[in-house]
Amino acid sequence: MRNTGKAVTLENKLPLLAVENNCIISKDADITACFRVHLPELFTVATAEYDAIHSAWHKAIRTLPDYSIIHKQDWFIKESYTPHIANGEWSFLSRAYQQHFSERPFLNHYCYLFLTKTTKERMRTQSNFSSLCRGVLIPKEIRDKEVIRRFMETVAQFEGIINDSGLLKLERLTEEEIIGTNDKQGLLEQYLTLSTEAGTAMQDIALGAEDVRIGNHRLCLHTLSDTDDLPNTVSANMRYEKLSTDRSDCHLSFAAPVGLLLSCNHIYNQYLFLDNSEENLRKFEKSARNMHSLARYSRANQINKEWIEKYLNEAHSFGLSSIRAHFNVMAWSDNPYELKQIKNDTGSALALMECKPRQNTVDTATLYWAAMPGNAGDFPNEESFYTFIEPALCFFTEETNYQSSLSPFGIKMADRLTGKPIHIDISDLPLKRGIITNRNKFILGPSGSGKSFFTNHLVRQYYEQGAHVLLVDTGNSYQGLCDLIKGKTGGEDGIYFTYTEDNPIAFNPFYTDDGVFDIEKKESIKTLILTLWKRDDEPPTRSEEVALSNAVSGYLERIGQYHEFPSFKGFYEYVKGEYRTVLKEKQVREKDFDIANFLNVLEPYYRGGEYDYLLNSDKQLDLLSKRFIVFEIDAIKDHKILFPIVTIIIMEVFINKMRRLKGVRKLILIEEAWKAIAKEGMAEYIKYLFKTVRKFFGEAIVVTQEVDDIIQSPIVKESIINNSDCKILLDQRKYMNKFDDIQAMLGLTEKEKSQILSINMNNHPSRLYKEVWIGLGGSHSAVYATEVSPEEYLTYTTEETEKMEVMHLASELNGDMEQAIKRIAQQRREKTNNY
């Protein structure tokens, strides 16, 4: 098959006539409906789901009439990440993040499905009768309108069955998407240029017997067109060894090796040809009889007869439909040396599927031409093999790369396979879709698993998107980020509370910026004073509660009337003076409210007392308006006096934000401090917080690293886990032997267990990152990479030497944390480049 003529125009050879009603019509009167296919994300599908996807395809295909062609075409194109750093609203760290990933190569996936109605004659077309070999294509008349109508009805049924599966989604392509516009390439133009980049000009197409070239792209084609090249058994999915353990299995579709795992520019074509099954079986019956009569002359005839009879037995026993199928991998490159490597990689990928790699050098041109969208009717009949629908569907790729959320709110993570940044919403969009019922999060990760990095990355992005963030820490994990925010906002945000002997932690629980004391504020003041006054095992009487409530209300009225500066000292003096008189006038008995005892117990917090600094801060700081606050309480977490008071003030700060900041996102993240809070009788706060925060556009996050904490603590189990629909786990391999208990406690499925145990098992050696598993509502889960820029790393790091290096340089630069981070990051880049 040699073309001896001179160059011809594409217009003369193009086998397509028109695009009408979102369908492609060929010059041979074939009609093709075109769809974009949305597949589930890589590493997020379990065996049962692969079986459900396989079943959905099978049910849908059985609705199509005879002489239909199913052509599934998966594009895998090498692209580079393009950041949008021109936006002036990017923060320093966001800009550094985008620049870090600029030009990061990744393999993008586009999946299309073409359903073609052709004729019996066209289905028998040989390669020597391809439209490539005909001089003139005369358009045929469109066949019977009733046939077209019935075909389009079955296409609609096909689409409905696939979409109802809940795992796949078909989206009908429009005429503009097929043929393009003045500003955007259409699918046909993309195929004829093998490029998805906008503005790519049409180039010469050389379709030779042994060499096929599209512009500068040289093609190589590997085909599965003979049963001798296929494995003995096939299944809907396969075990992916690199992410599997002896306790868990990671599954991918059977054809995944020629999908996303094959990292080169390629198209994977999958064809199913629906002939008349009964007619096919009659032909095989006749062939079997002929082979039987000739069996005495050749053992090969005897073997062929046995194979045909086995095929017929399967078809009749199980009611299977006889079809033809073909699969090919079409890869290309501009570089001859790279093309040689691509050929080897493609052959290896097919070998992983236990297929015999066969490079097709004879029909490359006709197979390329037939794979043009809408031209499946031109497929050469001799390149297909007979099979049934079920085994043929096992060769469909069933997963795509990670997709970004459409929500404007979210966080930036990275694709674990390619490292491409992706935008994911783990709060708003899942809540809107009913996947979760609250935004609360529970984070579990052992020391060294990258837990602090992830939480720093999370809260920083929440803050930059307008959220009020309050952090309760016990290890200075957020000091770098807090100092950076403080320097950037001139002290308006980035408020860091910690306890030292020289600068002890101090508050003024009576101060508000607007002078408003609502019910919540009054209740928090009363709770604080009760904590100072009474022990945990000594509840107040009803008369004592009333007397205390009146004292608080009376003092607040006084400061409003006389415009006094509110403080605990002022409250103490009010109770000692005016309120004592009020009690006498009301004839309140000592046994109902012992004011002397009350003042005696509170005296340590009054002027000259041991803790007089604690509640009498002279800083007029209203934390309601501060958007990033860190309470570092490691030094006082075991202090019986200070810790309960500080805890109440922390909770009061957040609850005040929760109730008064309408329509503003709020986040409270509690590190290991929650264990101490639970011990000190603060469990009610935790319970209240986790059950109520969702009503006020807020979310509560608890972070822990000890497995025993979540297994043994009823506070965690009842209040935190049950009210946290988003669960985030880091590398759990240290707890492999205890993971069954963790799985039971968190209610994890086997699929989720497999995902979690695959964390950090196959990390890319040239990228520095840790992986994290995020599960939403028990139904959606995936593993992502937490990869950050050097600037972010220096901001988040908890390594003492690195923190000191940044702090020391910042002090030399008059406290400019941002400049210090920039300099050290640049020095590290230069050092890496020199190596």
Side-chain angles (χ1 to χ4, degrees):
M1 206 174 52
R2 182 180 295 275
N3 183 7
T4 59
K6 294 182 179 180
V8 295
T9 63
L10 180 63
E11 184 180 6
N12 290 337
K13 286 291 184 182
L14 191 69
L16 308 180
L17 178 65
V19 177
E20 296 180 2
N21 298 321
N22 300 331
C23 290
I24 300 175
I25 302 172
S26 77
K27 291 179 180 178
D28 279 289
D30 297 335
I31 298 176
T32 302
C34 308
F35 297 90
R36 180 181 290 106
V37 186
H38 298 275
L39 299 170
E41 293 178 345
L42 191 70
F43 306 128
T44 65
V45 188
T47 301
E49 291 164 319
Y50 277 120
D51 291 340
I53 291 171
H54 186 274
S55 176
W57 282 120
H58 185 221
K59 290 175 184 175
I61 288 170
R62 289 181 69 88
T63 64
L64 296 176
D66 292 345
Y67 309 115
S68 297
I69 303 173
I70 298 95
H71 176 199
K72 182 168 172 286
Q73 188 174 76
D74 290 82
W75 290 57
F76 301 93
I77 307 295
K78 279 188 173 181
E79 297 180 6
S80 297
Y81 178 71
T82 304
H84 303 286
I85 55 177
N87 190 335
E89 297 181 0
W90 284 120
S91 69
F92 159 58
L93 292 182
S94 291
R95 185 177 292 272
Y97 181 86
Q98 295 290 339
Q99 289 174 334
H100 174 71
F101 286 97
S102 181
E103 301 301 320
R104 170 70 63 87
F106 66 95
L107 197 67
N108 213 351
H109 178 210
Y110 307 88
C111 184
Y112 303 100
L113 182 72
F114 309 110
L115 303 179
T116 301
K117 181 69 178 77
T118 185
T119 61
K120 181 178 180 180
E121 293 74 21
R122 286 274 286 162
M123 292 278 272
R124 295 175 177 174
T125 300
Q126 300 286 320
S127 60
N128 58 2
F129 200 69
S130 168
S131 58
L132 274 176
C133 306
R134 283 180 276 167
V136 181
L137 286 177
I138 301 174
K140 292 185 178 180
E141 290 186 6
I142 302 298
R143 60 176 60 83
D144 184 3
K145 290 184 179 180
E146 182 62 23
V147 173
I148 299 172
R149 186 188 64 78
R150 286 200 301 268
F151 173 66
M152 297 312 296
E153 285 179 355
T154 60
V155 167
Q157 293 171 15
F158 185 103
E159 183 180 2
I161 291 170
I162 295 298
N163 289 341
D164 287 345
S165 71
L167 296 167
L168 305 171
K169 181 183 176 184
L170 296 185
E171 180 185 355
R172 192 73 177 267
L173 293 180
T174 64
E175 292 182 18
E176 287 187 349
E177 289 174 317
I178 296 170
I179 61 177
T181 63
N182 292 334
D183 303 322
K184 187 178 179 182
Q185 276 187 323
L187 181 58
L188 289 172
E189 190 176 349
Q190 289 175 7
Y191 184 78
L192 293 171
T193 59
L194 292 182
S195 173
T196 58
E197 294 181 9
T200 303
M202 293 291 292
Q203 302 178 63
D204 290 343
I205 301 176
L207 301 176
E210 297 183 359
D211 181 46
V212 175
R213 180 173 50 81
I214 313 299
N216 294 324
H217 301 315
R218 295 186 181 275
L219 267 65
C220 68
L221 191 74
H222 287 75
T223 58
L224 295 177
S225 52
D226 194 313
T227 51
D228 292 338
D229 300 336
L230 303 179
N232 293 328
T233 58
V234 293
S235 60
N237 59 85
M238 54 173 268
R239 189 175 191 262
Y240 187 54
E241 295 295 339
K242 290 183 178 180
L243 294 180
S244 298
T245 70
D246 57 348
R247 292 171 176 258
S248 62
D249 296 321
C250 175
H251 289 276
L252 295 176
S253 63
F254 184 77
V258 293
L260 283 167
L261 300 185
L262 180 59
S263 59
C264 63
N265 287 321
H266 67 287
I267 293 175
Y268 179 45
N269 291 298
Q270 303 125 80
Y271 295 91
L272 302 184
F273 303 92
L274 305 186
D275 298 305
N276 183 289
S277 180
E278 296 299 323
E279 186 176 325
N280 281 350
L281 295 178
R282 283 196 295 271
K283 283 197 308 181
F284 279 116
E285 293 281 6
K286 182 178 179 181
S287 179
R289 288 194 296 271
N290 291 339
M291 291 293 175
H292 178 70
S293 62
L294 299 172
R296 69 181 68 182
Y297 301 110
S298 169
R299 182 172 295 275
N301 291 336
Q302 176 67 29
I303 294 172
N304 286 336
K305 174 218 167 192
E306 291 175 1
W307 277 110
I308 293 171
E309 286 185 344
K310 188 174 183 180
Y311 182 84
L312 291 168
N313 290 339
E314 288 280 320
H316 290 300
S317 300
F318 301 103
L320 304 179
S321 298
S322 174
I323 66 166
R324 289 181 294 117
H326 170 89
F327 310 97
N328 68 60
V329 181
M330 186 166 59
W332 63 89
S333 176
D334 301 343
N335 187 320
Y337 299 102
E338 185 184 18
L339 187 63
K340 185 177 180 181
Q341 183 61 46
I342 287 174
K343 291 177 182 178
N344 294 335
D345 291 344
T346 306
S348 299
L350 289 168
L352 285 174
M353 298 166 60
E354 298 184 10
C355 298
K356 186 183 294 182
R358 190 182 298 277
Q359 186 181 351
N360 192 317
T361 58
V362 176
D363 280 335
T364 304
T366 51
L367 289 175
Y368 166 77
W369 200 245
M372 184 189 306
N375 196 37
D378 242 357
F379 188 89
N381 176 68
E382 71 272 19
E383 287 287 352
S384 60
F385 60 89
Y386 284 95
T387 182
F388 301 118
I389 297 175
E390 289 93 329
L393 285 173
C394 293
F395 288 87
F396 275 24
T397 52
E398 305 292 10
E399 57 269 308
T400 188
N401 43 16
Y402 283 16
Q403 304 296 307
S404 291
S405 300
L406 298 176
S407 169
F409 178 82
I411 60 174
K412 281 281 192 297
M413 299 296 287
D415 184 316
R416 71 186 303 200
L417 185 66
T418 65
K420 174 197 173 187
I422 52 173
H423 171 86
I424 61 169
D425 184 353
I426 55 176
S427 293
D428 292 359
L429 195 60
L431 189 68
K432 184 178 179 181
R433 291 180 173 174
I435 297 170
I436 58 177
T437 58
N438 60 67
R439 297 180 177 88
N440 299 335
K441 297 170 179 58
F442 177 77
I443 302 176
L444 173 68
S447 179
S449 62
K451 184 170 69 270
S452 294
F453 254 76
F454 173 76
T455 51
N456 266 281
H457 196 53
L458 175 77
V459 299
R460 190 265 293 178
Q461 294 181 84
Y462 268 61
Y463 170 77
E464 290 179 354
Q465 294 174 85
H468 278 242
V469 177
L470 190 150
L471 306 170
V472 186
D473 188 24
T474 56
N476 293 307
S477 300
Y478 307 95
Q479 187 175 8
L481 179 58
C482 191
D483 287 348
L484 182 65
I485 292 172
K486 184 178 181 179
K488 198 67 178 175
T489 61
E492 285 298 315
D493 274 325
I495 311 300
Y496 198 83
F497 290 101
T498 188
Y499 183 92
T500 62
E501 291 294 334
D502 298 331
N503 185 24
I505 197 167
F507 307 97
N508 183 353
F510 288 87
Y511 178 77
T512 61
D513 192 36
D514 53 10
V516 175
F517 295 91
D518 56 15
I519 293 174
E520 292 297 328
K521 183 67 174 177
K522 291 178 181 178
E523 288 298 319
S524 81
I525 293 173
K526 286 192 291 184
T527 302
L528 172 63
I529 296 171
L530 272 174
T531 304
L532 302 177
W533 180 26
K534 297 287 186 178
R535 295 193 301 267
D536 289 344
D537 57 352
E538 186 186 359
T541 64
R542 178 60 181 156
S543 59
E544 287 175 331
E545 287 182 351
V546 171
L548 176 58
S549 181
N550 289 338
V552 172
S553 297
Y555 175 64
L556 296 179
E557 288 175 9
R558 175 183 171 80
I559 61 176
Q561 183 178 359
Y562 296 103
H563 303 290
E564 295 180 359
F565 181 75
S567 67
F568 182 80
K569 292 176 184 177
F571 172 74
Y572 187 90
E573 290 168 355
Y574 169 75
V575 173
K576 188 176 182 180
E578 288 184 35
Y579 192 59
R580 188 190 291 270
T581 305
V582 172
L583 292 176
K584 286 182 179 179
E585 291 175 357
K586 290 184 176 182
Q587 297 181 350
V588 176
R589 296 174 298 178
E590 184 178 327
K591 68 175 184 177
D592 294 327
F593 181 63
D594 189 347
I595 192 169
N597 172 266
F598 180 76
L599 293 170
N600 182 56
V601 173
L602 297 187
E603 190 173 7
Y605 309 97
Y606 180 56
R607 184 183 295 113
E610 183 180 1
Y611 304 109
D612 66 342
Y613 59 84
L614 185 61
L615 304 175
N616 294 289
S617 173
D618 57 359
K619 295 179 182 177
Q620 298 185 18
L621 184 64
D622 183 9
L623 299 180
L624 179 68
S625 62
K626 306 304 178 185
R627 288 186 45 235
F628 197 92
I629 307 165
V630 179
F631 290 93
E632 204 291 312
I633 58 174
D634 189 54
I636 61 168
K637 68 176 187 285
D638 297 320
H639 199 292
K640 293 184 178 180
I641 302 296
L642 296 178
F643 184 77
I645 299 169
V646 172
T647 302
I648 289 174
I649 291 173
I650 293 171
M651 292 300 176
E652 185 271 331
V653 167
F654 187 74
I655 291 172
N656 192 35
K657 285 178 178 288
M658 191 171 73
R659 293 191 173 272
R660 293 185 61 186
L661 296 175
K662 305 294 184 182
V664 178
R665 190 184 305 274
K666 283 109 13 202
L667 176 150
I668 181 170
L669 184 144
I670 307 173
E671 284 267 359
E672 301 296 325
W674 68 265
K675 289 183 286 186
I677 291 172
K679 290 178 185 175
E680 297 293 340
M682 302 308 296
E684 292 303 318
Y685 271 106
I686 295 286
K687 290 181 181 179
Y688 172 77
L689 191 65
F690 269 79
K691 291 181 180 179
T692 310
V693 69
R694 67 177 180 84
K695 302 175 184 177
F696 297 94
F697 196 20
E699 52 191 88
I701 304 175
V702 156
V703 184
T704 188
Q705 67 178 14
E706 295 296 333
V707 182
D708 291 338
D709 294 335
I710 67 166
I711 294 174
Q712 298 173 3
S713 173
I715 300 300
V716 181
K717 180 180 179 181
E718 296 171 11
S719 304
I720 298 175
I721 293 178
N722 292 346
N723 290 288
S724 297
D725 281 359
C726 176
K727 296 175 177 65
I728 300 171
L729 277 71
L730 292 99
D731 199 333
Q732 300 293 313
R733 282 178 290 177
K734 288 183 180 178
Y735 302 141
M736 188 75 79
N737 294 331
K738 295 182 180 180
F739 197 79
D740 289 343
D741 293 330
I742 298 175
Q743 182 181 3
M745 176 64 72
L746 299 180
L748 303 173
T749 64
E750 285 300 312
K751 180 182 84 170
E752 291 171 332
K753 173 185 175 181
S754 299
Q755 290 174 334
I756 294 165
L757 294 181
S758 75
I759 290 175
N760 295 332
M761 281 192 63
N762 191 35
N763 287 10
H764 199 285
S766 65
R767 290 162 43 208
L768 183 63
Y769 64 96
K770 293 286 183 68
E771 292 183 335
V772 56
W773 176 84
I774 300 176
L776 296 169
S779 59
H780 293 65
S781 59
V783 176
Y784 302 94
T786 307
E787 184 177 352
V788 298
S789 64
E791 287 84 353
E792 290 169 298
Y793 175 86
L794 292 167
T795 303
Y796 304 157
T797 183
T798 55
E799 281 291 327
E800 188 69 22
T801 54
E802 293 174 327
K803 287 173 67 175
M804 292 303 296
E805 183 183 5
V806 174
M807 296 296 181
H808 179 70
L809 183 56
S811 64
E812 292 181 356
L813 297 171
N814 298 320
D816 194 334
M817 188 90 167
E818 183 175 321
Q819 283 301 319
I821 291 171
K822 282 182 179 178
R823 286 194 187 183
I824 297 174
Q826 185 59 33
Q827 290 169 6
R828 294 191 174 189
R829 284 194 187 94
E830 291 172 356
K831 186 177 180 180
T832 303
N833 292 336
N834 290 336
Y835 282 115

